[in-house]
């Protein structure tokens, strides 16, 4: 399937948030929220493996808590939500995403944000940027259930019937291997949004059907197929 064929067949775009829409933790600012997420675990005396102790990615901490420390997962979730909402207040918008959303609207394609971040952070960012009307909905991480994050298809349970669309008529756009894996499990094509050639190679290896090096270019490609 060519990229044009894939885009032509797309009725609904499932759009990842952190990356394609916003840079939620610019310049390593994720380390602070990582620390906040670790606090409840350390307070409870949970022993952390090196990878969890050292990561700047709070979602790695949250996933660990879900599996190994369910007694504090809700506290870790609360810290994660607070940190994400705070970050959403200052996160820069991804260049070209407004043009991309315009292209989708002009060609009659609906957009739903599907994020491993919490819905309230995504929503507040969209409000801040005046983009609420550009998306049909927001699906975020369910509270205290990190095991349901992408690549788990359960994150969008019920969504496609609600939208009245088959998976094959959707397109996942995301910047992580987990987005690509998610699309494969759900049975929809995917475009990997890559800010660097390295990330592009990683997403291609994960099985992305196409790689986009800019959201504006992806919007132009959608406009081109109409
Ligand atoms: Mg992302």
């Amino acid at each position: 399937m060519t990229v044009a064929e894939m885009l032509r067949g797309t009725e609904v775009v499932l759009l990842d948030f952190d990356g394609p829409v916003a840079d939620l933790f610019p310049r390593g600012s994720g380390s602070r929220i990582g620390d906040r997420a670790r606090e409840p675990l350390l307070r409870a005396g949970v022993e952390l493996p090196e990878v969890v102790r050292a990561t700047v990615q709070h979602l790695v901490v949250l996933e660990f808590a879900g599996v190994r420390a369910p007694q504090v997962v809700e506290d870790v979730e609360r810290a994660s939500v607070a940190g994400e909402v705070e970050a959403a207040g200052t996160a820069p918008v991804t260049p070209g995403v407004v043009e991309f959303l315009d292209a989708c609207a002009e060609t009659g394609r609906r957009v739903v944000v599907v994020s491993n971040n919490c819905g309230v952070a995504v929503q507040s960012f969209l409000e801040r940027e005046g983009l609420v009307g550009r998306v049909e909905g927001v699906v975020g991480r369910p509270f205290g259930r990190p095991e349901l994050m992408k690549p788990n298809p359960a994150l969008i349970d019920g969504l496609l019937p609600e939208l009245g669309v088959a998976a094959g008529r959707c397109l996942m756009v995301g910047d992580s291997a987990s987005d690509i894996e998610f699309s494969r499990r759900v049975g929809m094509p995917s475009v990997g949004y890559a800010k660097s050639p390295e990330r592009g190679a990683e997403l291609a290896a994960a099985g992305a059907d196409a790689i986009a090096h800019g959201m504006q270019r992806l919007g132009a490609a959608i406009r081109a197929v109409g």
Side-chain angles (χ1 to χ4, degrees), residues 172-196:
M172 179 72 213
V173 177
D175 70 338
S176 298
S178 64
D179 294 312
I180 309 305
E181 176 63 22
F182 168 82
S183 74
R184 284 156 52 110
R185 291 199 204 169
V186 178
M188 62 181 64
S190 63
V191 171
Y193 164 65
K195 277 205 294 191
S196 66

Side-chain angles (χ1 to χ4, degrees), residues 11-17 19-22 93-114 122 125-127 129-138 171 173 214-223:
E11 290 175 30
V12 174
V13 175
L14 301 189
L15 183 61
D16 175 39
F17 174 66
V21 179
V93 66
T94 299
V97 71
V98 175
E99 290 88 337
F100 171 80
L101 292 171
D102 284 345
C104 290
E106 284 166 23
T107 59
R109 292 179 172 85
R110 295 178 284 167
V111 177
V112 176
V113 176
V114 176
V122 175
F125 178 87
L126 295 175
E127 277 166 20
E129 291 296 322
L131 296 174
V132 173
R134 308 288 186 95
V135 305
E136 186 148 326
V138 172
L171 176 70
V173 177
M215 291 305 289
Q216 196 165 5
R217 276 203 242 173
L218 188 56
I222 284 181
R223 272 208 182 88

